[in-house]
Amino acid sequence: MGRFGRAWVAAAALAAVALLCVYVGLYGSVAGSWIAHAVELAASAFAWCAGRRRPAPTRRAVTFLALGLFAYFLADVSWWVQREMGSGLEVAPSDVLYLCSYAALALGVWRLAGSRTCSRDERLANWIDSAAVLGAGLTLAWALSLASSSSGADLPAGTRLVWSLYPALDALLVLVGVRLLTQGALGRWYAVCFTVGAGLWLLGDLGYLLGADASVMSLPLDTGWMLGAVLMALLSLSPVSPMAEVDATRAAVPRGLGRLALPLGSLVVPAGMEAVNDVSGAEDTPGLLLVTTVALTALVFARAALLVRGEAAARAGLVSQQRYSAALAAHSSDAVVVLSRDGRLLSDPAGLPALFQLDGTQDLEAGDLVRALGLSADEAHVMFRRALQAAGEVVDAELTCVRGGVSFWIGVRLADLTDNPDVGGIVVHVTDITDRKRAEEALAHQAFHDDLTGLANRALFADRVDQALRRGARGQGQPAVVFIDLDGFKGVNDTLGHPAGDSLLRQVAARLRSVVRADDTVARLGGDEFAVLVEQSGSGPDEAVATAERVLAALAAPVVLDGQSVTVSGSVGIAVGDADATSDTLLGDADIAMYAAKVAGRGRSVVFDSAMRDSAVAARELEQELQGALAADEFRLVYQPVVDLADGAVTGFEALLRWDSRALGAVSPDRFVPVAEASGLIEDIGAWVLREACAAAADWRAEHGRDVTMAVNVSAVQLTSPHLVEHITEALALSGLPASALVLEVTETALVADPDRASECLAALRALGLRLALDDFGTGYSSLAHLRQFTVDVLKIDRSFVATIGEDGVLPPIVRGMIDLGRTLGLEIVAEGVETEVQRRLLVDGRCDLAQGYLFARPLEPADASLLLLASTARTGA
C-alpha cells in the first residue's frame, strides 16, 4: 500500500468511526437517517475522486464502482422517502436503483479483476462459476426467506423474485471479492475490505428477509449496510492495474479441482434445502429443486468439460514442446544430460546422437559418453569430482577431444542438482566450441603474425627476444638480432605498384626463412623492415654475422615481378644481447647498426658498437632537421666554374649544394648527403637542385650569349630511382635549357652497386641528349670494363691525383695515364682541385682539356658566378 493509499485509508477510517458514533447516538431520528445517507454519498464521492487519479486502464472500472455506490445512495434515499410517505408498495422504484447499483458494482469490480485480459476459456469458466453461485444463491434466498415466511400466496411471484435477488447478488459480490483475493491482481487489503463489505450487505439482506426483530436488529442491519458501502469504496484506492499484469494474474489464477469447488458446492444447495424441509416439516418445492438441480448440474458439467479440454490442451502443448526440444537437440551442437552420482545416465538419450554420435536407444553410462567424445578419461573424472565437491555451484571447462584422428573442442558445464527433486542428478551441458576455438586461434595468429608475409610481427618478435634474453641470462648463449631494411623497395612500389611491392615482400620473407636455422625467428617489423632473432650458442657476433651474410646473398638474387627482373639489396644491422639488454634496447641497437650500414653505402652489414649511439643520435637529429629543410628554404646552390685550360675561358659550372640549417648552422655535404640518401630525402632534394641549376644556366646563357654547361651530381639512390628521368625532363622544360648543356656527374661506386639498373638508367638519360661525366675517376674500381659498359662523355680526374702534381715540373705517370686513357676513348678530360699555376701548366702540357679548382675560383654565389662569366667573356672575347 502506497503513501497516498495509507493516508486515504486513515482518513476514511477516522471519519467512519466518528460518524458511526454520531449515527448510533441519533439512530431512529431523521438526523440519524441523514447521517447514514451522507456516509453513503461520501463513499460514492470518495470512490469517484479516487478514480479520477487512477491511470486510464482502471479509471473506467473505478467509475463504475463509484456509480454503483451512488445508485445505492439514491436507492436508500428513495426507500426512506417511500417509508416516510407510508407507501404500501412491495416493489418500488428504490428496488430498481438497488439492482442497478449491484450491476454497476459487479461490472466495476469485474473489470478491476482483469477479466478482459483472460483467455476465452477462463472468461467462460468465470461466467459459469458466477452463474452457479448466483443460481444457488437465488434458490437459497427463495427457500429461506419467502417460502418459509409466507404461504406463497400473499406476495406476487415478481415481488418474491426481486426480494430473492438481493442475497443472491450479495453472494455474487462476495464471489467477485474472493476472486480478487485469489488472483492477487489488486492489493490484498483492498480486496479484503470489498469482500467484507459485500458480506455485510449479504448478512443484512438475509437478516431482513428472514424477518428479524426490528427492535433488536434494525441498528445492526442499517449499520452493516452503511459500513459495507464504505468498505467497498476503499477498493478504489487499489494501486495495481491488473491489465498491465496479464501474465502475473494468469499465473495466480487457481486451476484444477480447486476451481471446481464453487460449482460443485452449489450442487449441495438443492439437496441441503430438501434435507432442511424434511427436518422442519416445511412445504416441499420439488419443481424449484428439480430445475435448480438440473441447471446447476449442467453448469458443473460445462465447467468440468472446460477443465478437461484445458488439461488436454496443456498435455498437447507439453508433448509439442517435447517434440520441439527433441528436434532442436537432434540438430544442435549442444547436449544436456543428467547423470547419477555413480555415473548412470538418467535423462533421455534421444538428443545425444548429433554431438556424441551414439545410438539413442541403447543404455548408456558416463564412460560411454566420454569414449564417444574422444575425451581423456582422467580429465572427465577430474571434472566430475569437481562438480560433486562444488555442492551445486556450476563448474565449467574447455576440453580437447580426439575422435577418428580429428581434434575438436567442447565446452562443459556441470552442476550437482541431486538435491533438486525436479532433477535428481548431476546436470552436464556439453557444447561443441570447435568453430569458436578455431576463430580464436585465427585471431591469435593475426594478433602475433604479419598478414602479408605470415612472419612473426613486432609484438611476437619482442616476446621471443625477451625469452631468448632470459635463457641467455642462465648461460645458454647470448641472442643476437639481425635488423634488415630493404634498399630500393620504394622504387619498386612507385614504378610497379603496391601489388608488386607486396609480392616482393612475400618473396623476401620466403628467402629469409630459407637462410635461417630452425630455432631462429624471422619477423616483419613493418614496411620494408625485417628482423631475425639468432639463437646463438656463444656470446660473440659470429653466428649473427654469418646469418647476415646469408641474408645479403639471398637478397642479391634478382626478383621477377610482373615479368620484370628487379634487384634489391639490404642494409643490415647486428646487435648482440648482454646482461642488461631488453627486447627494446636490443632491437634499438640493431636498428642503429642498420642505419650505419645504410649511411655507409647500403648492401652491407654492420655490427653494433656502443660508440654508434652518439653518432646515431646525431644522425637522427640531422635527419629530423632535413625533413623540413627544403620547405623552409634552407638549401642553396653555389657554382664552381669549369675553365678551358687552353685560353682560361669559363665553359661551364658545377652546381654544389649547401645547407644553412636554422638549428644546426652550416652543415657540410659530407655530413648531410649520406643521411639524405639513407632516409630517401635525396630524391626531393635532388629534384630541387636540378630545377635550380638548370634555371641558372639558362639565365646565364640568355644574359651573356655563352653556351655554358651545367654539371649536377647524381647520387646512387637517385640513379636507381624511377623518378630521375621525370625530374630531369621537368627541370629542362621549366628552364628552357637544352639537354646538351646539362652534364650529370655519377661516381663509379654508384654505377657498380647495381650495374644492370645503372646501365638502363644511363641509356635512358643519354636518350634525352644529356652528357654524362664519370666523377672522381681513379678512386673507385677504375675498371676499363666499366668505361666500356657505361658510355660516358666526360672523365673527371679526382683532386687526390691532381694534388700529387708537385713543384718538380713533372706530371705524375698516373695522371698522364688517365689523360691518355680518356683521350684514347674520345672523352673530355676535366681535372678537379687545381690550386697552383704549376699544376695548371703541367696539365696543359699533358693535353688536359678542362679544369676546376681554387686557382680559378672558389664556389661562387649566383651573382658572383654571373660576374665571373661576364669578365671571362670580356677577356677572351668569346
Side-chain angles (χ1 to χ4, degrees):
M1 183 184 297
R3 181 180 302 174
F4 174 75
R6 288 194 297 269
W8 275 97
V9 169
L14 291 175
V17 170
L19 285 174
L20 182 61
C21 293
V22 175
Y23 175 74
V24 171
L26 298 176
Y27 182 77
S29 64
V30 175
S33 298
W34 281 111
I35 289 176
H37 299 328
V39 169
E40 293 167 356
L41 178 62
S44 63
F46 175 83
W48 179 272
C49 294
R52 295 299 89 193
R53 303 175 64 92
R54 296 184 66 88
T58 57
R59 185 180 303 157
R60 182 173 297 180
V62 176
T63 300
F64 280 116
L65 179 67
L67 289 176
L69 293 173
F70 184 69
Y72 184 80
F73 157 73
L74 293 178
D76 252 9
V77 172
S78 175
W79 181 85
W80 179 78
V81 170
Q82 174 186 334
R83 187 187 65 180
E84 291 296 321
M85 293 176 63
S87 174
L89 294 176
E90 299 295 340
V91 177
S94 59
D95 292 300
V96 177
L97 292 174
Y98 279 128
L99 294 178
C100 289
S101 71
Y102 280 108
L105 287 171
L107 180 60
V109 178
W110 196 271
R111 290 177 63 89
L112 275 177
S115 62
R116 297 180 64 181
T117 64
C118 300
S119 67
R120 185 186 64 180
D121 285 353
E122 288 178 342
R123 290 198 300 271
L124 183 56
N126 290 333
W127 282 111
I128 291 174
D129 293 343
S130 301
V133 172
L134 180 60
L138 282 172
T139 302
L140 183 62
W142 182 284
L144 293 180
S145 61
L146 299 181
S148 62
S149 62
S150 68
S151 61
D154 298 338
L155 295 175
T159 301
R160 296 173 63 185
L161 177 62
V162 170
W163 286 13
S164 299
L165 282 175
Y166 285 108
L169 292 175
D170 292 332
L172 181 61
L173 290 181
V174 172
L175 172 65
V176 176
V178 172
R179 182 167 179 256
L180 290 176
L181 284 171
T182 57
Q183 286 184 338
L186 303 172
R188 180 172 298 274
W189 290 109
Y190 300 111
V192 168
C193 287
F194 180 86
T195 305
V196 171
L200 291 175
W201 279 15
L202 176 60
L203 293 176
D205 287 337
L206 285 175
Y208 179 81
L209 292 176
L210 289 174
D213 186 356
S215 62
V216 177
M217 295 298 297
S218 293
L219 177 61
L221 292 180
D222 289 340
T223 303
W225 285 322
M226 181 181 65
L227 290 180
V230 172
L231 291 174
M232 284 190 282
L234 294 178
L235 186 63
S236 61
L237 296 178
S238 57
V240 180
S241 171
M243 305 233 179
E245 306 289 342
V246 176
D247 295 336
T249 47
R250 288 188 181 180
V253 173
R255 292 176 173 84
L257 294 177
R259 284 295 299 270
L260 288 176
L262 291 176
L264 286 175
S266 65
L267 284 175
V268 179
V269 172
M273 288 173 54
E274 183 66 25
V276 171
N277 289 337
D278 290 342
V279 172
S280 63
E283 181 182 353
D284 291 334
T285 54
L288 175 61
L289 296 179
L290 177 61
V291 172
T292 303
T293 302
V294 171
L296 293 178
T297 302
L299 291 173
V300 171
F301 179 81
R303 187 66 180 86
L306 284 177
L307 186 62
V308 171
R309 187 172 71 177
E311 182 181 5
R315 289 182 180 275
L318 179 60
V319 172
S320 175
Q321 182 63 36
Q322 289 175 340
R323 290 197 301 267
Y324 176 76
S325 300
L328 290 181
H331 299 85
S332 173
S333 61
D334 294 5
V336 179
V337 296
V338 180
L339 301 174
S340 65
R341 286 178 174 265
D342 57 2
R344 290 180 295 107
L345 182 63
L346 302 179
S347 58
D348 183 7
L352 301 181
L355 180 59
F356 290 90
Q357 297 183 3
L358 288 171
D359 183 3
T361 61
Q362 62 189 11
D363 293 334
L364 300 173
E365 294 186 356
D368 299 321
L369 303 181
V370 171
R371 285 188 294 273
L373 285 173
L375 180 63
S376 168
D378 293 337
E379 288 184 341
H381 180 73
V382 169
M383 288 296 300
F384 199 77
R385 298 304 304 173
R386 284 179 57 196
L388 293 178
Q389 295 168 2
E393 296 294 329
V394 176
V395 176
D396 55 11
E398 295 180 351
L399 305 175
T400 304
C401 301
V402 180
R403 183 167 56 200
V406 178
S407 297
F408 62 99
W409 289 266
I410 60 171
V412 183
R413 292 170 59 87
L414 296 90
D416 185 3
L417 302 181
T418 305
D419 297 333
N420 188 322
D422 296 327
V423 180
I426 299 172
V427 179
V428 183
H429 178 238
V430 184
T431 305
D432 187 349
I433 59 172
T434 302
D435 292 341
R436 177 172 65 80
K437 294 294 290 186
R438 287 175 178 167
E440 289 175 355
E441 288 180 349
L443 289 175
H445 185 273
Q446 293 175 8
F448 294 103
H449 291 79
D450 177 57
D451 291 339
L452 180 63
T453 62
L455 298 178
N457 61 10
R458 183 180 289 270
L460 180 57
F461 187 77
D463 180 69
R464 296 276 178 86
V465 172
D466 284 331
Q467 295 180 30
L469 289 171
R470 286 193 290 270
R471 289 192 295 271
R474 295 192 295 267
Q476 300 179 19
Q478 290 297 337
V481 170
V482 177
F483 197 108
I484 305 143
D485 184 87
L486 296 183
D487 300 326
F489 174 74
K490 183 177 183 298
V492 173
N493 256 351
D494 292 343
T495 55
L496 302 181
H498 290 285
D502 292 343
S503 178
L504 173 61
L505 293 175
R506 284 191 289 267
Q507 294 190 50
V508 168
R511 292 186 183 185
L512 293 179
R513 286 195 192 97
S514 67
V515 298
V516 301
R517 301 168 304 185
D519 294 338
D520 298 338
T521 300
V522 183
R524 181 185 176 213
L525 304 181
D528 59 351
E529 293 181 343
F530 297 83
V532 179
L533 171 61
V534 182
E535 302 273 2
Q536 298 189 128
S537 58
S539 58
D542 296 341
E543 297 177 53
V545 170
T547 300
E549 291 175 353
R550 294 195 300 271
V551 167
L552 290 173
L555 295 178
V559 178
V560 178
L561 300 173
D562 295 336
Q564 300 186 39
S565 179
V566 175
T567 301
V568 295
S569 61
S571 298
V572 180
I574 302 169
V576 180
D578 54 30
D580 299 326
T582 65
S583 60
D584 291 338
T585 60
L586 188 58
L587 198 58
D589 291 344
D591 187 14
I592 290 174
M594 179 276 297
Y595 194 81
K598 190 176 288 288
V599 172
R602 305 188 175 194
R604 66 190 67 201
S605 64
V606 173
V607 179
F608 175 78
D609 185 293
S610 57
M612 291 181 180
R613 285 198 180 94
D614 294 337
S615 60
V617 171
R620 296 294 188 190
E621 182 183 5
L622 199 62
E623 180 180 341
Q624 184 176 0
E625 292 298 325
L626 270 175
Q627 297 285 346
L630 191 60
D633 199 24
E634 295 179 354
F635 290 112
R636 61 186 177 90
L637 293 182
V638 293
Y639 302 92
Q640 187 167 38
V642 178
V643 177
D644 189 337
L645 289 176
D647 58 6
V650 176
T651 62
F653 294 90
E654 178 182 1
L656 301 175
L657 181 62
R658 296 292 184 265
W659 178 27
D660 297 321
S661 170
R662 291 185 176 88
L664 305 177
V667 184
S668 68
D670 293 340
R671 286 185 58 198
F672 73 80
V673 170
V675 174
E677 290 180 337
S679 61
L681 296 173
I682 194 64
E683 287 198 44
D684 292 337
I685 296 174
W688 177 84
V689 170
L690 283 168
R691 291 193 300 271
E692 290 294 310
C694 289
D699 291 344
W700 293 334
R701 288 167 69 93
E703 180 181 355
H704 301 290
R706 298 280 302 275
D707 294 335
V708 294
T709 61
M710 180 62 69
V712 177
N713 291 280
V714 177
S715 70
V717 175
Q718 289 177 275
L719 197 62
T720 59
S721 170
H723 304 298
L724 179 59
V725 174
E726 177 186 347
H727 291 162
I728 292 173
T729 304
E730 179 186 10
L732 293 175
L734 291 175
S735 63
L737 183 70
S740 58
L742 179 62
V743 181
L744 295 185
E745 298 186 1
V746 296
T747 63
E748 284 185 273
T749 303
L751 294 176
V752 300
D754 187 352
D756 294 336
R757 172 63 183 158
S759 180
E760 294 176 5
C761 183
L762 293 180
L765 294 177
R766 289 187 64 83
L768 295 177
L770 309 179
R771 300 175 68 210
L772 301 175
L774 188 60
D775 196 14
D776 299 335
F777 183 73
T779 60
Y781 296 88
S782 301
S783 170
L784 293 178
H786 294 158
L787 290 177
R788 289 195 299 270
Q789 180 181 1
F790 308 117
T791 304
V792 296
D793 303 288
V794 181
L795 187 67
K796 300 191 72 172
I797 302 175
D798 186 70
R799 66 180 65 250
S800 61
F801 296 106
V802 174
T804 62
I805 302 175
E807 298 294 333
D808 56 2
V810 179
L811 188 66
I814 190 171
V815 177
R816 184 177 294 278
M818 291 180 184
I819 296 174
D820 292 342
L821 175 62
R823 299 192 69 85
T824 299
L825 296 176
L827 304 179
E828 189 175 71
I829 311 300
V830 179
E832 295 182 295
V834 178
E835 298 183 355
T836 66
E837 180 62 30
V838 173
Q839 293 172 343
R840 185 195 68 79
R841 181 173 53 80
L842 292 177
L843 288 171
V844 171
D845 294 343
R847 296 192 302 167
C848 180
D849 301 315
L850 305 171
Q852 59 187 104
Y854 287 177
L855 176 65
F856 309 107
R858 291 177 175 273
L860 303 171
E861 298 295 333
D864 296 332
S866 180
L867 291 176
L868 178 63
L869 189 58
L870 179 62
S872 174
T873 301
R875 185 175 62 254
T876 62

